[in-house]
PDB file of all heavy atoms in Angstrom:
ATOM      1  N   ARG D  75       2.962  16.642  56.751  1.00  0.00           N
ATOM      2  CA  ARG D  75       3.000  16.948  58.180  1.00  0.00           C
ATOM      3  C   ARG D  75       2.365  18.317  58.355  1.00  0.00           C
ATOM      4  O   ARG D  75       2.424  19.158  57.462  1.00  0.00           O
ATOM      5  CB  ARG D  75       4.439  16.954  58.695  1.00  0.00           C
ATOM      6  CG  ARG D  75       5.075  15.585  58.772  1.00  0.00           C
ATOM      7  CD  ARG D  75       6.485  15.689  59.304  1.00  0.00           C
ATOM      8  NE  ARG D  75       6.492  16.275  60.644  1.00  0.00           N
ATOM      9  CZ  ARG D  75       7.589  16.736  61.246  1.00  0.00           C
ATOM     10  NH1 ARG D  75       8.741  16.727  60.603  1.00  0.00           N
ATOM     11  NH2 ARG D  75       7.521  17.241  62.466  1.00  0.00           N
ATOM     12  N   ASN D  76       1.784  18.531  59.505  1.00  0.00           N
ATOM     13  CA  ASN D  76       0.990  19.732  59.696  1.00  0.00           C
ATOM     14  C   ASN D  76       1.239  20.337  61.068  1.00  0.00           C
ATOM     15  O   ASN D  76       1.681  19.661  61.991  1.00  0.00           O
ATOM     16  CB  ASN D  76      -0.501  19.409  59.556  1.00  0.00           C
ATOM     17  CG  ASN D  76      -0.799  18.670  58.270  1.00  0.00           C
ATOM     18  OD1 ASN D  76      -0.957  19.273  57.229  1.00  0.00           O
ATOM     19  ND2 ASN D  76      -0.856  17.333  58.341  1.00  0.00           N
ATOM     20  N   THR D  77       0.919  21.615  61.197  1.00  0.00           N
ATOM     21  CA  THR D  77       1.042  22.329  62.457  1.00  0.00           C
ATOM     22  C   THR D  77      -0.254  23.071  62.735  1.00  0.00           C
ATOM     23  O   THR D  77      -0.827  23.681  61.834  1.00  0.00           O
ATOM     24  CB  THR D  77       2.206  23.338  62.400  1.00  0.00           C
ATOM     25  OG1 THR D  77       3.437  22.623  62.248  1.00  0.00           O
ATOM     26  CG2 THR D  77       2.273  24.173  63.672  1.00  0.00           C
ATOM     27  N   ALA D  78      -0.712  23.011  63.994  1.00  0.00           N
ATOM     28  CA  ALA D  78      -1.884  23.781  64.411  1.00  0.00           C
ATOM     29  C   ALA D  78      -1.410  25.159  64.864  1.00  0.00           C
ATOM     30  O   ALA D  78      -0.636  25.282  65.812  1.00  0.00           O
ATOM     31  CB  ALA D  78      -2.617  23.072  65.540  1.00  0.00           C
ATOM     32  N   LEU D  79      -1.847  26.184  64.157  1.00  0.00           N
ATOM     33  CA  LEU D  79      -1.502  27.559  64.497  1.00  0.00           C
ATOM     34  C   LEU D  79      -2.603  28.147  65.362  1.00  0.00           C
ATOM     35  O   LEU D  79      -3.779  28.132  64.987  1.00  0.00           O
ATOM     36  CB  LEU D  79      -1.353  28.409  63.232  1.00  0.00           C
ATOM     37  CG  LEU D  79      -0.400  27.898  62.151  1.00  0.00           C
ATOM     38  CD1 LEU D  79      -0.378  28.878  60.983  1.00  0.00           C
ATOM     39  CD2 LEU D  79       1.003  27.680  62.697  1.00  0.00           C
ATOM     40  N   SER D  80      -2.236  28.685  66.510  1.00  0.00           N
ATOM     41  CA  SER D  80      -3.218  29.334  67.376  1.00  0.00           C
ATOM     42  C   SER D  80      -3.699  30.628  66.730  1.00  0.00           C
ATOM     43  O   SER D  80      -3.080  31.150  65.798  1.00  0.00           O
ATOM     44  CB  SER D  80      -2.617  29.634  68.749  1.00  0.00           C
ATOM     45  OG  SER D  80      -1.683  30.684  68.648  1.00  0.00           O
ATOM     46  N   ARG D  81      -4.778  31.149  67.247  1.00  0.00           N
ATOM     47  CA  ARG D  81      -5.304  32.407  66.734  1.00  0.00           C
ATOM     48  C   ARG D  81      -4.262  33.528  66.871  1.00  0.00           C
ATOM     49  O   ARG D  81      -4.122  34.377  65.990  1.00  0.00           O
ATOM     50  CB  ARG D  81      -6.582  32.774  67.486  1.00  0.00           C
ATOM     51  CG  ARG D  81      -7.299  34.001  66.953  1.00  0.00           C
ATOM     52  CD  ARG D  81      -8.690  34.109  67.570  1.00  0.00           C
ATOM     53  NE  ARG D  81      -9.339  35.345  67.195  1.00  0.00           N
ATOM     54  CZ  ARG D  81      -9.927  35.575  66.026  1.00  0.00           C
ATOM     55  NH1 ARG D  81      -9.930  34.620  65.108  1.00  0.00           N
ATOM     56  NH2 ARG D  81     -10.507  36.739  65.771  1.00  0.00           N
ATOM     57  N   ARG D  82      -3.504  33.530  67.968  1.00  0.00           N
ATOM     58  CA  ARG D  82      -2.478  34.559  68.157  1.00  0.00           C
ATOM     59  C   ARG D  82      -1.367  34.424  67.120  1.00  0.00           C
ATOM     60  O   ARG D  82      -0.871  35.439  66.605  1.00  0.00           O
ATOM     61  CB  ARG D  82      -1.889  34.455  69.568  1.00  0.00           C
ATOM     62  CG  ARG D  82      -0.823  35.509  69.844  1.00  0.00           C
ATOM     63  CD  ARG D  82      -1.446  36.902  69.873  1.00  0.00           C
ATOM     64  NE  ARG D  82      -0.445  37.947  69.987  1.00  0.00           N
ATOM     65  CZ  ARG D  82      -0.245  38.895  69.072  1.00  0.00           C
ATOM     66  NH1 ARG D  82      -0.980  38.917  67.964  1.00  0.00           N
ATOM     67  NH2 ARG D  82       0.679  39.818  69.261  1.00  0.00           N
ATOM     68  N   THR D  83      -0.960  33.194  66.793  1.00  0.00           N
ATOM     69  CA  THR D  83       0.066  32.999  65.779  1.00  0.00           C
ATOM     70  C   THR D  83      -0.410  33.493  64.422  1.00  0.00           C
ATOM     71  O   THR D  83       0.348  34.124  63.678  1.00  0.00           O
ATOM     72  CB  THR D  83       0.467  31.518  65.705  1.00  0.00           C
ATOM     73  OG1 THR D  83       1.039  31.118  66.956  1.00  0.00           O
ATOM     74  CG2 THR D  83       1.489  31.269  64.610  1.00  0.00           C
ATOM     75  N   VAL D  84      -1.676  33.230  64.100  1.00  0.00           N
ATOM     76  CA  VAL D  84      -2.244  33.742  62.849  1.00  0.00           C
ATOM     77  C   VAL D  84      -2.170  35.269  62.841  1.00  0.00           C
ATOM     78  O   VAL D  84      -1.811  35.885  61.832  1.00  0.00           O
ATOM     79  CB  VAL D  84      -3.690  33.261  62.664  1.00  0.00           C
ATOM     80  CG1 VAL D  84      -4.360  33.963  61.486  1.00  0.00           C
ATOM     81  CG2 VAL D  84      -3.730  31.743  62.449  1.00  0.00           C
ATOM     82  N   GLN D  85      -2.488  35.888  63.956  1.00  0.00           N
ATOM     83  CA  GLN D  85      -2.431  37.344  64.048  1.00  0.00           C
ATOM     84  C   GLN D  85      -1.005  37.865  63.818  1.00  0.00           C
ATOM     85  O   GLN D  85      -0.813  38.901  63.183  1.00  0.00           O
ATOM     86  CB  GLN D  85      -2.937  37.808  65.414  1.00  0.00           C
ATOM     87  CG  GLN D  85      -4.434  37.627  65.614  1.00  0.00           C
ATOM     88  CD  GLN D  85      -4.868  37.993  67.021  1.00  0.00           C
ATOM     89  OE1 GLN D  85      -4.049  38.160  67.926  1.00  0.00           O
ATOM     90  NE2 GLN D  85      -6.170  38.117  67.219  1.00  0.00           N
ATOM     91  N   ILE D  86      -0.014  37.131  64.315  1.00  0.00           N
ATOM     92  CA  ILE D  86       1.382  37.542  64.123  1.00  0.00           C
ATOM     93  C   ILE D  86       1.742  37.497  62.643  1.00  0.00           C
ATOM     94  O   ILE D  86       2.384  38.426  62.114  1.00  0.00           O
ATOM     95  CB  ILE D  86       2.324  36.660  64.956  1.00  0.00           C
ATOM     96  CG1 ILE D  86       2.124  36.932  66.454  1.00  0.00           C
ATOM     97  CG2 ILE D  86       3.784  36.904  64.571  1.00  0.00           C
ATOM     98  CD1 ILE D  86       2.852  35.963  67.370  1.00  0.00           C
ATOM     99  N   TYR D  87       1.341  36.423  61.948  1.00  0.00           N
ATOM    100  CA  TYR D  87       1.621  36.349  60.509  1.00  0.00           C
ATOM    101  C   TYR D  87       0.831  37.408  59.735  1.00  0.00           C
ATOM    102  O   TYR D  87       1.308  37.917  58.704  1.00  0.00           O
ATOM    103  CB  TYR D  87       1.313  34.949  59.982  1.00  0.00           C
ATOM    104  CG  TYR D  87       2.376  33.930  60.347  1.00  0.00           C
ATOM    105  CD1 TYR D  87       2.042  32.694  60.902  1.00  0.00           C
ATOM    106  CD2 TYR D  87       3.725  34.194  60.120  1.00  0.00           C
ATOM    107  CE1 TYR D  87       3.013  31.771  61.242  1.00  0.00           C
ATOM    108  CE2 TYR D  87       4.700  33.273  60.457  1.00  0.00           C
ATOM    109  CZ  TYR D  87       4.345  32.062  61.011  1.00  0.00           C
ATOM    110  OH  TYR D  87       5.326  31.153  61.331  1.00  0.00           O
ATOM    111  N   GLN D  88      -0.355  37.751  60.203  1.00  0.00           N
ATOM    112  CA  GLN D  88      -1.089  38.850  59.582  1.00  0.00           C
ATOM    113  C   GLN D  88      -0.338  40.162  59.761  1.00  0.00           C
ATOM    114  O   GLN D  88      -0.271  40.991  58.853  1.00  0.00           O
ATOM    115  CB  GLN D  88      -2.490  38.952  60.194  1.00  0.00           C
ATOM    116  CG  GLN D  88      -3.440  37.831  59.793  1.00  0.00           C
ATOM    117  CD  GLN D  88      -4.758  37.874  60.551  1.00  0.00           C
ATOM    118  OE1 GLN D  88      -4.820  38.348  61.686  1.00  0.00           O
ATOM    119  NE2 GLN D  88      -5.819  37.368  59.933  1.00  0.00           N
ATOM    120  N   GLU D  89       0.230  40.343  60.927  1.00  0.00           N
ATOM    121  CA  GLU D  89       0.948  41.578  61.261  1.00  0.00           C
ATOM    122  C   GLU D  89       2.113  41.835  60.314  1.00  0.00           C
ATOM    123  O   GLU D  89       2.391  42.981  59.944  1.00  0.00           O
ATOM    124  CB  GLU D  89       1.441  41.491  62.705  1.00  0.00           C
ATOM    125  CG  GLU D  89       2.167  42.705  63.214  1.00  0.00           C
ATOM    126  CD  GLU D  89       2.618  42.522  64.654  1.00  0.00           C
ATOM    127  OE1 GLU D  89       1.783  42.131  65.500  1.00  0.00           O
ATOM    128  OE2 GLU D  89       3.806  42.758  64.936  1.00  0.00           O
ATOM    129  N   ILE D  90       2.806  40.769  59.896  1.00  0.00           N
ATOM    130  CA  ILE D  90       3.951  40.950  58.999  1.00  0.00           C
ATOM    131  C   ILE D  90       3.569  40.743  57.532  1.00  0.00           C
ATOM    132  O   ILE D  90       4.440  40.656  56.666  1.00  0.00           O
ATOM    133  CB  ILE D  90       5.117  40.013  59.385  1.00  0.00           C
ATOM    134  CG1 ILE D  90       4.725  38.539  59.295  1.00  0.00           C
ATOM    135  CG2 ILE D  90       5.625  40.350  60.776  1.00  0.00           C
ATOM    136  CD1 ILE D  90       5.884  37.586  59.590  1.00  0.00           C
ATOM    137  N   GLY D  91       2.255  40.664  57.258  1.00  0.00           N
ATOM    138  CA  GLY D  91       1.768  40.620  55.888  1.00  0.00           C
ATOM    139  C   GLY D  91       1.950  39.302  55.183  1.00  0.00           C
ATOM    140  O   GLY D  91       1.997  39.257  53.942  1.00  0.00           O
ATOM    141  N   LEU D  92       2.029  38.203  55.925  1.00  0.00           N
ATOM    142  CA  LEU D  92       2.291  36.902  55.308  1.00  0.00           C
ATOM    143  C   LEU D  92       1.072  35.986  55.280  1.00  0.00           C
ATOM    144  O   LEU D  92       1.063  34.992  54.548  1.00  0.00           O
ATOM    145  CB  LEU D  92       3.448  36.214  56.056  1.00  0.00           C
ATOM    146  CG  LEU D  92       4.139  35.043  55.358  1.00  0.00           C
ATOM    147  CD1 LEU D  92       4.715  35.479  54.018  1.00  0.00           C
ATOM    148  CD2 LEU D  92       5.236  34.465  56.232  1.00  0.00           C
ATOM    149  N   TRP D  93       0.051  36.302  56.054  1.00  0.00           N
ATOM    150  CA  TRP D  93      -1.051  35.349  56.172  1.00  0.00           C
ATOM    151  C   TRP D  93      -1.794  35.136  54.860  1.00  0.00           C
ATOM    152  O   TRP D  93      -2.262  34.027  54.577  1.00  0.00           O
ATOM    153  CB  TRP D  93      -2.032  35.774  57.273  1.00  0.00           C
ATOM    154  CG  TRP D  93      -3.121  34.758  57.446  1.00  0.00           C
ATOM    155  CD1 TRP D  93      -4.456  34.896  57.180  1.00  0.00           C
ATOM    156  CD2 TRP D  93      -2.952  33.402  57.872  1.00  0.00           C
ATOM    157  NE1 TRP D  93      -5.119  33.723  57.431  1.00  0.00           N
ATOM    158  CE2 TRP D  93      -4.219  32.788  57.852  1.00  0.00           C
ATOM    159  CE3 TRP D  93      -1.839  32.642  58.275  1.00  0.00           C
ATOM    160  CZ2 TRP D  93      -4.416  31.455  58.218  1.00  0.00           C
ATOM    161  CZ3 TRP D  93      -2.037  31.314  58.638  1.00  0.00           C
ATOM    162  CH2 TRP D  93      -3.306  30.745  58.600  1.00  0.00           C
ATOM    163  N   ASP D  94      -1.929  36.157  54.031  1.00  0.00           N
ATOM    164  CA  ASP D  94      -2.621  35.978  52.753  1.00  0.00           C
ATOM    165  C   ASP D  94      -1.942  34.910  51.908  1.00  0.00           C
ATOM    166  O   ASP D  94      -2.601  34.201  51.141  1.00  0.00           O
ATOM    167  CB  ASP D  94      -2.666  37.299  51.984  1.00  0.00           C
ATOM    168  CG  ASP D  94      -3.668  38.281  52.574  1.00  0.00           C
ATOM    169  OD1 ASP D  94      -4.487  37.850  53.407  1.00  0.00           O
ATOM    170  OD2 ASP D  94      -3.610  39.474  52.216  1.00  0.00           O
ATOM    171  N   GLU D  95      -0.622  34.801  52.018  1.00  0.00           N
ATOM    172  CA  GLU D  95       0.109  33.775  51.279  1.00  0.00           C
ATOM    173  C   GLU D  95      -0.040  32.395  51.911  1.00  0.00           C
ATOM    174  O   GLU D  95       0.039  31.376  51.234  1.00  0.00           O
ATOM    175  CB  GLU D  95       1.598  34.150  51.224  1.00  0.00           C
ATOM    176  CG  GLU D  95       1.909  35.338  50.350  1.00  0.00           C
ATOM    177  CD  GLU D  95       1.664  35.033  48.877  1.00  0.00           C
ATOM    178  OE1 GLU D  95       2.018  33.923  48.438  1.00  0.00           O
ATOM    179  OE2 GLU D  95       1.118  35.904  48.181  1.00  0.00           O
ATOM    180  N   LEU D  96      -0.266  32.341  53.211  1.00  0.00           N
ATOM    181  CA  LEU D  96      -0.320  31.059  53.918  1.00  0.00           C
ATOM    182  C   LEU D  96      -1.689  30.405  53.885  1.00  0.00           C
ATOM    183  O   LEU D  96      -1.802  29.183  53.868  1.00  0.00           O
ATOM    184  CB  LEU D  96       0.099  31.264  55.384  1.00  0.00           C
ATOM    185  CG  LEU D  96       1.547  31.666  55.643  1.00  0.00           C
ATOM    186  CD1 LEU D  96       1.754  31.939  57.129  1.00  0.00           C
ATOM    187  CD2 LEU D  96       2.509  30.598  55.160  1.00  0.00           C
TER     188      LEU D  96
END
Side-chain angles (χ1 to χ4, degrees):
R75 289 181 60 194
N76 308 277
T77 295
L79 307 180
S80 72
R81 185 168 174 79
R82 181 67 186 118
T83 297
V84 171
Q85 290 175 347
I86 292 171
Y87 284 131
Q88 288 173 331
E89 182 180 310
I90 61 177
L92 197 58
W93 183 247
D94 286 347
E95 290 292 319
L96 294 175

